[in-house]
């Protein structure tokens, strides 16, 4: 089989995580979301993958390359242009991106799995494709039942008794929802379906192509399977997912590093004052990280490579991206610290230079200074 990974979006709903990273590169347990997808596709004998890219495309391509270290071939389709010497992303929609690839080189010549590049799945892809073929589907949509009080977060699918899709509801309230079957952003396409997408135009799979399939009465089916589906739609989702993963709630995703005491994992060459710090797991402390005397870390907490928790600093149920320095005697509770931004578990964001910000953090690559007055140090 072949696969298409949709990775051209800007990920605006998960800012600030995507100010410097494309959404598929957001790390979960130290590894980009898209890496888990690639590995899962390889397990199901998918050996050719095309990725449409646009925003910060070079970060995706530099990490994954031609795919040889994953045992598959990966190709890329860039959507954008150059203006005044600068790369200008210009996505053409999920379906438009597929048509662009097809018009260029005819990649889609057999059954193809289409997956959004910002979710973790353990779907039995082989079984899903078998059901797709058994039904004689032109396109299949992999769906999953969600609690009724969560339907307003999803595109909801309505089917007949045979599983043929008859209509959709986009994020309906619980009172008007006619189903709790949610679209997961995983699709199975036959090549003929690509011909329905107009060339050279912006066209979306969900809002443009799928209604067209329904209107024409084409064989368009939902495949309802029970599988783990971890979607990072919002910053709040990211915080919750990291909490779940670190508590071992997804058995297939293991903590990296070496477990040196119960609930505490570390990378290489960490520097920690073990006798004079309090560390309560589950906690991961990445390679080259430093935890000073008097610091306290309470899990689930992820401290990325090169971070520095200064004397008296406290990090509780938080995620620190690479090279974050927590200021001396400052407490970060249920936070994500990403470069110059800090965002709490509710999605409230502050910049390091905001006057209203009462926290101090900085880039750990900067030489350390221990001022007595941090308010003065900010000026």
């Amino acid at each position: 089989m072949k696969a298409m990974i949709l990775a051209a979006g800007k990920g605006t709903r998960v800012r600030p995580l995507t100010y410097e990273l494309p959404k598929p590169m957001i790390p979960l347990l130290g590894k980009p979301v898209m890496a888990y997808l690639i590995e899962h596709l390889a397990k199901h004998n998918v050996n050719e993958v095309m990725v449409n890219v646009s925003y910060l495309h070079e970060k995706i391509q530099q990490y994954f390359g031609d795919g040889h270290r994953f045992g598959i071939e990966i190709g890329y389709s860039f959507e954008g242009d150059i203006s005044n010497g600068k790369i200008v992303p210009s996505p053409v929609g999920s379906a438009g991106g597929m048509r662009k690839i097809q018009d260029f080189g005819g990649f889609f010549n057999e059954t193809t799995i289409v997956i959004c590049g910002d979710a973790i799945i353990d779907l039995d892809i082989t079984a899903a494709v078998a059901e797709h073929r058994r039904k004689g589907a032109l396109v299949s949509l992999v769906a999953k039942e969600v609690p009724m009080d969560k339907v307003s977060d999803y595109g909801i699918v309505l089917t007949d008794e045979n599983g043929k899709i008859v209509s959709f509801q986009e994020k309906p309230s619980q009172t008007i929802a006619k189903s709790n079957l949610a679209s997961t952003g995983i699709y199975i396409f036959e090549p003929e379906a690509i011909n329905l997408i107009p060339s050279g135009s912006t066209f979306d799979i969900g809002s443009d192509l799928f209604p067209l399939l329904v209107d024409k009465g084409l064989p368009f089916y939902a495949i309802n399977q029970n599988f783990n589906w971890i979607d990072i739609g919002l910053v709040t989702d990211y915080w919750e997912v990291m909490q779940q993963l670190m508590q071992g709630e997804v058995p297939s995703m293991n903590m990296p590093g070496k477990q040196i005491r119960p609930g505490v994992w570390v990378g290489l060459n960490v520097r920690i004052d073990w006798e004079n710090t309090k560390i309560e797991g589950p906690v991961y402390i990445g390679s080259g990280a430093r935890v000073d005397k008097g610091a306290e870390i309470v899990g689930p907490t992820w401290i990325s490579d090169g971070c520095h928790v200064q004397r008296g600093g406290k990090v509780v149920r938080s995620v620190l991206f690479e090279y974050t320095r927590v200021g001396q005697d400052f407490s970060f509770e249920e936070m994500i610290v990403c470069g110059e931004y800090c965002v709490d578990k509710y999605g409230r964001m502050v910049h390091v230079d905001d006057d209203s910000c009462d926290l101090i953090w900085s880039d750990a690559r900067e030489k350390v200074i221990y001022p007595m007055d941090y308010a003065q140090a900010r000026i």
Side-chain angles (χ1 to χ4, degrees):
M1 292 181 290
K2 294 185 175 182
M4 166 84 179
I5 295 180
L6 305 171
K10 289 187 175 181
T12 55
R13 295 195 302 156
V14 285
R15 289 175 176 167
L17 307 185
T18 52
Y19 279 139
E20 296 183 359
L21 285 175
K23 195 175 178 185
M25 293 299 293
I26 291 176
L28 289 175
L29 300 186
K31 189 162 67 176
V33 172
M34 192 171 129
Y36 292 101
L37 281 177
I38 293 286
E39 291 169 353
H40 189 65
L41 289 168
K43 289 178 183 177
H44 286 270
N45 298 315
V46 175
N47 52 23
E48 296 181 16
V49 178
M50 281 297 298
V51 185
N52 70 326
V53 293
S54 186
Y55 176 68
L56 296 176
H57 69 99
E58 66 281 0
K59 296 200 173 185
I60 294 175
Q61 292 181 234
Q62 287 168 3
Y63 184 92
F64 291 98
D66 63 5
H68 73 274
R69 65 191 175 98
F70 297 93
I72 62 175
E73 288 186 84
I74 300 177
Y76 304 91
S77 174
F78 173 70
E79 299 174 13
D81 204 347
I82 297 285
S83 177
N84 297 321
K86 294 184 178 180
I87 297 172
V88 180
S90 183
V92 295
S94 50
M98 294 184 70
R99 184 64 195 239
K100 181 176 184 288
I101 291 168
Q102 189 73 342
D103 288 345
F104 185 83
F107 175 76
F108 302 108
N109 58 1
E110 60 182 276
T111 304
T112 300
I113 312 300
V114 181
I115 303 180
C116 295
D118 56 4
I120 302 292
I121 62 170
D122 63 2
L123 172 72
D124 187 338
I125 292 174
T126 304
V129 170
E131 182 174 344
H132 163 84
R133 289 172 172 159
R134 188 165 58 249
K135 290 180 174 178
L138 180 67
V139 177
S140 291
L141 179 157
V142 177
K144 182 177 173 66
E145 292 184 2
V146 298
M148 284 301 296
D149 61 353
K150 299 289 186 181
V151 291
S152 60
D153 295 333
Y154 302 99
I156 297 301
V157 182
L158 282 74
T159 68
D160 64 16
E161 62 276 7
N162 297 314
K164 188 175 182 181
I165 296 173
V166 296
S167 65
F168 294 89
Q169 288 182 292
E170 183 58 29
K171 298 181 179 179
S173 66
Q174 185 175 348
T175 55
I176 65 170
K178 298 178 182 178
S179 163
N180 67 334
L181 200 58
S183 172
T184 63
I186 306 168
Y187 319 118
I188 306 171
F189 273 69
E190 292 302 320
E192 293 77 13
I194 311 297
N195 297 332
L196 298 170
I197 304 169
S199 294
S201 63
T202 300
F203 211 70
D204 184 71
I205 290 175
S207 59
D208 296 315
L209 179 60
F210 284 174
L212 182 63
L213 294 173
V214 172
D215 290 344
K216 289 181 174 291
L218 295 170
F220 177 30
Y221 287 88
I223 295 174
N224 184 7
Q225 288 206 3
N226 184 26
F227 64 102
N228 287 311
W229 171 44
I230 302 173
D231 179 40
I232 305 171
L234 302 168
V235 173
T236 52
D237 297 329
Y238 180 73
W239 183 85
E240 290 175 0
V241 166
M242 283 295 289
Q243 297 291 297
Q244 293 167 3
L245 294 179
M246 294 199 68
Q247 293 180 91
E249 294 181 16
V250 182
S252 61
M253 296 178 67
N254 300 316
M255 292 284 282
K258 182 179 181 181
Q259 187 172 15
I260 58 171
R261 59 174 64 174
V264 179
W265 289 261
V266 299
L268 296 176
N269 203 38
V270 297
R271 181 174 176 178
I272 302 171
D273 188 333
W274 293 105
E275 293 183 1
N276 298 292
T277 56
K278 178 182 177 182
I279 302 178
E280 179 183 324
V283 166
Y284 175 81
I285 302 171
S287 174
R290 173 176 170 179
V291 181
D292 289 345
K293 178 180 180 179
E296 182 177 353
I297 303 171
V298 179
T301 286
W302 180 275
I303 296 176
S304 298
D305 295 348
C307 288
H308 181 190
V309 182
Q310 290 187 300
R311 296 188 306 234
K314 186 175 182 180
V315 185
V316 180
R317 294 183 296 279
S318 295
V319 178
L320 307 184
F321 275 46
E322 285 82 359
Y323 296 109
T324 297
R325 173 173 287 135
V326 170
Q328 181 179 342
D329 297 322
F330 279 85
S331 179
F332 288 73
E333 298 193 21
E334 299 184 331
M335 295 282 192
I336 304 166
V337 186
C338 175
E340 296 182 345
Y341 294 87
C342 182
V343 56
D344 69 16
K345 69 173 183 177
Y346 302 107
R348 294 177 298 218
M349 179 173 63
V350 292
H351 187 267
V352 67
D353 291 330
D354 288 349
D355 291 337
S356 60
C357 180
D358 58 0
L359 295 170
I360 293 288
W361 74 95
S362 61
D363 192 320
R365 289 168 287 197
E366 197 174 10
K367 285 188 177 180
V368 64
I369 300 173
Y370 289 102
M372 296 301 294
D373 185 346
Y374 266 92
Q376 182 66 28
R378 183 187 288 277
I379 294 174

